Amino acid sequence: MPPTSKNNSAGAVAAKVLSLPSFRQYKSISCYLNMPTGELDTSSIVKEILSSGKTLGLFVPKIDVGAEGKMDFLQIYDQEDLQLLPAGMWGIREPGTEYKGMKRTNALELPELDMILVPGVAFDRSILTRLGHGKGYYGRYITSYVATGRPRPLLVALALREQLMIHG
């Protein structure tokens, strides 16, 4: 897709997500910070979560390079925090375990994470069959999260029409 078309589509996807009743009512939302290229730009969604006053806030992925395939969702507190995040794996900005000398809140410390905005290459309509980038981070996280007895968060795929696979 040409970059301008992709940017316009990313804006339409963001508008759709921001208008979801569940988005407005939920208190804790995880949103990935997009790769420099190849993924929908999530910056407008992230900015809206930070400015919306969500009481439990925004949580973004943090890959644990020491533990094979482990990912956590750590809280981002404000726009300044977001801007200071260094690039981690694949050029994606990731939080450290602390911010301003305090330990960041991990989504596993919450009673429940309401929504996860999920990246991917292709999706079926259920989002349960998803082609990601091949490392299995989201699948493992969601499985282990639900295994703790918490309800499964609402999963929302951020995708363009071209990324949906329709089964006949």
Side-chain angles (χ1 to χ4, degrees), residues 25-64:
Q25 79 183 42
Y26 286 164
K27 294 174 174 42
S28 57
I29 298 176
S30 172
C31 183
Y32 66 94
L33 302 178
N34 57 282
M35 292 180 172
T37 59
E39 288 182 331
L40 281 176
D41 183 348
T42 60
S43 59
S44 60
I45 296 171
V46 167
K47 183 177 179 181
E48 180 61 28
I49 295 169
L50 287 171
S51 66
S52 68
K54 299 284 182 200
T55 54
L56 299 176
L58 168 67
F59 293 81
V60 300
K62 166 73 174 159
I63 305 298
D64 183 345

Side-chain angles (χ1 to χ4, degrees), residues 32 39-40 45 48 67-68 76 85 105 107-108 111-112 121 129 131 146:
Y32 66 94
E39 288 182 331
L40 281 176
I45 296 171
E48 180 61 28
E68 186 64 32
I76 302 301
L85 297 179
T105 301
L108 292 173
E112 111 182 53
V121 176
T129 306
L131 176 62
V146 172

